[in-house]
mmCIF file of all heavy atoms in Angstrom:
data_model
loop_
_atom_site.group_PDB
_atom_site.id
_atom_site.type_symbol
_atom_site.label_atom_id
_atom_site.label_comp_id
_atom_site.label_asym_id
_atom_site.label_seq_id
_atom_site.Cartn_x
_atom_site.Cartn_y
_atom_site.Cartn_z
ATOM 1 N N ILE A 10 13.223 -4.632 15.290
ATOM 2 C CA ILE A 10 13.648 -4.883 13.897
ATOM 3 C C ILE A 10 15.004 -5.309 13.897
ATOM 4 O O ILE A 10 15.480 -6.264 13.238
ATOM 5 C CB ILE A 10 13.500 -3.690 12.927
ATOM 6 C CG1 ILE A 10 11.904 -3.315 12.709
ATOM 7 C CG2 ILE A 10 14.204 -3.782 11.678
ATOM 8 C CD1 ILE A 10 11.684 -2.042 12.122
ATOM 9 N N ALA A 16 18.799 -12.244 14.404
ATOM 10 C CA ALA A 16 18.318 -13.402 15.133
ATOM 11 C C ALA A 16 19.106 -14.712 14.935
ATOM 12 O O ALA A 16 19.806 -14.828 13.946
ATOM 13 C CB ALA A 16 16.878 -13.679 14.574
ATOM 14 N N ARG A 21 15.232 -17.263 13.165
ATOM 15 C CA ARG A 21 15.199 -17.031 11.645
ATOM 16 C C ARG A 21 14.375 -18.069 10.990
ATOM 17 O O ARG A 21 13.658 -17.828 10.003
ATOM 18 C CB ARG A 21 16.627 -17.029 11.069
ATOM 19 C CG ARG A 21 17.417 -15.782 11.368
ATOM 20 C CD ARG A 21 18.445 -15.477 10.354
ATOM 21 N NE ARG A 21 17.919 -15.526 8.955
ATOM 22 C CZ ARG A 21 17.340 -14.414 8.535
ATOM 23 N NH1 ARG A 21 17.122 -13.470 9.282
ATOM 24 N NH2 ARG A 21 16.881 -14.500 7.323
ATOM 25 N N MET A 38 -5.451 -15.207 -2.111
ATOM 26 C CA MET A 38 -6.394 -14.147 -2.006
ATOM 27 C C MET A 38 -6.431 -13.247 -3.274
ATOM 28 O O MET A 38 -7.463 -12.674 -3.743
ATOM 29 C CB MET A 38 -6.229 -13.349 -0.757
ATOM 30 C CG MET A 38 -6.445 -13.993 0.514
ATOM 31 S SD MET A 38 -6.206 -13.026 1.974
ATOM 32 C CE MET A 38 -7.497 -11.784 1.802
ATOM 33 N N GLY A 40 -3.811 -13.441 -6.064
ATOM 34 C CA GLY A 40 -3.047 -14.015 -7.355
ATOM 35 C C GLY A 40 -1.585 -13.759 -7.099
ATOM 36 O O GLY A 40 -1.096 -13.156 -6.216
ATOM 37 N N ASN A 46 -1.450 -6.962 -6.390
ATOM 38 C CA ASN A 46 -1.736 -7.582 -5.134
ATOM 39 C C ASN A 46 -0.814 -7.056 -4.026
ATOM 40 O O ASN A 46 0.417 -7.360 -3.814
ATOM 41 C CB ASN A 46 -1.428 -9.121 -5.263
ATOM 42 C CG ASN A 46 -1.782 -9.920 -3.954
ATOM 43 O OD1 ASN A 46 -1.981 -9.334 -2.984
ATOM 44 N ND2 ASN A 46 -1.852 -11.173 -4.208
ATOM 45 N N LYS A 63 15.211 -17.597 -2.513
ATOM 46 C CA LYS A 63 14.245 -17.679 -3.555
ATOM 47 C C LYS A 63 13.465 -18.889 -3.659
ATOM 48 O O LYS A 63 12.296 -18.969 -3.988
ATOM 49 C CB LYS A 63 15.017 -17.258 -4.943
ATOM 50 C CG LYS A 63 15.426 -15.918 -5.084
ATOM 51 C CD LYS A 63 16.050 -15.519 -6.456
ATOM 52 C CE LYS A 63 16.473 -14.047 -6.530
ATOM 53 N NZ LYS A 63 16.990 -13.824 -7.845
ATOM 54 N N GLN A 71 3.877 -21.200 -5.276
ATOM 55 C CA GLN A 71 3.226 -22.440 -5.795
ATOM 56 C C GLN A 71 2.232 -22.929 -4.911
ATOM 57 O O GLN A 71 1.149 -23.481 -5.395
ATOM 58 C CB GLN A 71 4.329 -23.407 -6.087
ATOM 59 C CG GLN A 71 5.301 -22.947 -7.219
ATOM 60 C CD GLN A 71 4.515 -22.568 -8.582
ATOM 61 O OE1 GLN A 71 3.663 -23.375 -9.052
ATOM 62 N NE2 GLN A 71 4.852 -21.449 -9.106
ATOM 63 N N GLY A 75 -1.911 -23.412 -5.581
ATOM 64 C CA GLY A 75 -2.487 -24.685 -5.512
ATOM 65 C C GLY A 75 -1.633 -25.815 -6.245
ATOM 66 O O GLY A 75 -2.126 -26.940 -6.323
ATOM 67 N N THR A 77 0.960 -27.224 -5.081
ATOM 68 C CA THR A 77 1.387 -28.235 -4.064
ATOM 69 C C THR A 77 0.347 -28.134 -2.857
ATOM 70 O O THR A 77 -0.378 -27.190 -2.639
ATOM 71 C CB THR A 77 2.802 -27.718 -3.453
ATOM 72 O OG1 THR A 77 2.678 -26.474 -2.867
ATOM 73 C CG2 THR A 77 3.893 -27.692 -4.447
ATOM 74 N N ASN A 81 -4.991 -25.543 5.115
ATOM 75 C CA ASN A 81 -5.870 -24.459 4.835
ATOM 76 C C ASN A 81 -5.946 -23.476 5.995
ATOM 77 O O ASN A 81 -6.663 -23.635 6.917
ATOM 78 C CB ASN A 81 -7.330 -25.127 4.540
ATOM 79 C CG ASN A 81 -8.223 -24.258 3.844
ATOM 80 O OD1 ASN A 81 -7.868 -23.263 3.262
ATOM 81 N ND2 ASN A 81 -9.501 -24.728 3.693
ATOM 82 N N TYR A 87 -6.707 -11.113 17.066
ATOM 83 C CA TYR A 87 -7.035 -11.238 18.395
ATOM 84 C C TYR A 87 -6.526 -9.908 19.103
ATOM 85 O O TYR A 87 -5.595 -9.281 18.632
ATOM 86 C CB TYR A 87 -6.175 -12.304 19.099
ATOM 87 C CG TYR A 87 -6.732 -13.749 18.799
ATOM 88 C CD1 TYR A 87 -5.826 -14.831 19.054
ATOM 89 C CD2 TYR A 87 -7.808 -13.994 18.123
ATOM 90 C CE1 TYR A 87 -6.244 -16.161 18.882
ATOM 91 C CE2 TYR A 87 -8.167 -15.268 17.856
ATOM 92 C CZ TYR A 87 -7.454 -16.300 18.239
ATOM 93 O OH TYR A 87 -7.877 -17.597 17.934
ATOM 94 N N GLY A 89 -6.100 -7.874 23.028
ATOM 95 C CA GLY A 89 -5.924 -8.024 24.531
ATOM 96 C C GLY A 89 -5.163 -6.959 25.133
ATOM 97 O O GLY A 89 -4.865 -5.955 24.563
ATOM 98 N N PRO A 92 0.823 -5.935 30.411
ATOM 99 C CA PRO A 92 1.161 -5.351 31.645
ATOM 100 C C PRO A 92 1.082 -3.809 31.591
ATOM 101 O O PRO A 92 1.305 -3.127 30.417
ATOM 102 C CB PRO A 92 2.648 -5.852 31.855
ATOM 103 C CG PRO A 92 2.735 -6.998 31.142
ATOM 104 C CD PRO A 92 1.933 -6.821 29.884
ATOM 105 N N THR A 109 -5.055 -22.377 18.711
ATOM 106 C CA THR A 109 -4.377 -21.142 18.778
ATOM 107 C C THR A 109 -5.084 -20.202 19.848
ATOM 108 O O THR A 109 -4.251 -19.516 20.562
ATOM 109 C CB THR A 109 -4.614 -20.371 17.362
ATOM 110 O OG1 THR A 109 -4.073 -21.189 16.340
ATOM 111 C CG2 THR A 109 -3.892 -18.947 17.408
ATOM 112 N N LEU A 116 -0.530 -17.540 27.028
ATOM 113 C CA LEU A 116 0.559 -16.651 27.020
ATOM 114 C C LEU A 116 0.182 -15.386 27.648
ATOM 115 O O LEU A 116 0.993 -14.770 28.432
ATOM 116 C CB LEU A 116 1.020 -16.484 25.575
ATOM 117 C CG LEU A 116 1.731 -17.674 24.901
ATOM 118 C CD1 LEU A 116 2.059 -17.364 23.464
ATOM 119 C CD2 LEU A 116 2.944 -18.148 25.664
ATOM 120 N N PHE A 117 -0.976 -14.851 27.345
ATOM 121 C CA PHE A 117 -1.340 -13.559 27.953
ATOM 122 C C PHE A 117 -1.415 -13.754 29.477
ATOM 123 O O PHE A 117 -0.999 -12.823 30.285
ATOM 124 C CB PHE A 117 -2.721 -13.141 27.363
ATOM 125 C CG PHE A 117 -2.765 -12.244 26.184
ATOM 126 C CD1 PHE A 117 -2.917 -12.744 25.074
ATOM 127 C CD2 PHE A 117 -2.415 -10.904 26.335
ATOM 128 C CE1 PHE A 117 -2.914 -11.880 23.812
ATOM 129 C CE2 PHE A 117 -2.370 -10.016 25.287
ATOM 130 C CZ PHE A 117 -2.613 -10.603 24.026
ATOM 131 N N TYR A 120 1.964 -14.135 31.301
ATOM 132 C CA TYR A 120 2.935 -13.040 31.310
ATOM 133 C C TYR A 120 2.201 -11.595 31.703
ATOM 134 O O TYR A 120 2.650 -10.549 31.231
ATOM 135 C CB TYR A 120 3.728 -12.785 29.973
ATOM 136 C CG TYR A 120 4.599 -14.116 29.741
ATOM 137 C CD1 TYR A 120 4.173 -14.916 28.656
ATOM 138 C CD2 TYR A 120 5.616 -14.318 30.510
ATOM 139 C CE1 TYR A 120 4.994 -16.108 28.427
ATOM 140 C CE2 TYR A 120 6.465 -15.508 30.199
ATOM 141 C CZ TYR A 120 6.138 -16.309 29.278
ATOM 142 O OH TYR A 120 6.887 -17.457 28.952
ATOM 143 N N ALA A 162 3.448 11.297 1.856
ATOM 144 C CA ALA A 162 3.746 11.017 3.273
ATOM 145 C C ALA A 162 3.011 12.111 4.204
ATOM 146 O O ALA A 162 2.775 13.289 3.786
ATOM 147 C CB ALA A 162 5.183 11.067 3.569
ATOM 148 N N MET A 165 7.285 12.716 9.010
ATOM 149 C CA MET A 165 8.556 12.000 9.094
ATOM 150 C C MET A 165 9.169 12.442 10.474
ATOM 151 O O MET A 165 9.230 13.645 10.780
ATOM 152 C CB MET A 165 9.521 12.415 7.972
ATOM 153 C CG MET A 165 10.725 11.561 7.997
ATOM 154 S SD MET A 165 11.926 12.018 6.624
ATOM 155 C CE MET A 165 12.722 13.333 7.311
ATOM 156 N N ALA A 180 -0.599 5.395 0.045
ATOM 157 C CA ALA A 180 0.522 6.021 -0.490
ATOM 158 C C ALA A 180 1.876 5.257 -0.497
ATOM 159 O O ALA A 180 2.894 5.661 -0.892
ATOM 160 C CB ALA A 180 0.807 7.326 0.326
#
Side-chain angles (χ1 to χ4, degrees):
I10 292 170
R21 284 205 57 79
M38 293 179 64
N46 186 342
K63 287 185 178 180
Q71 290 305 310
T77 59
N81 201 5
Y87 288 169
T109 303
L116 291 174
F117 269 102
Y120 298 112
M165 187 181 85

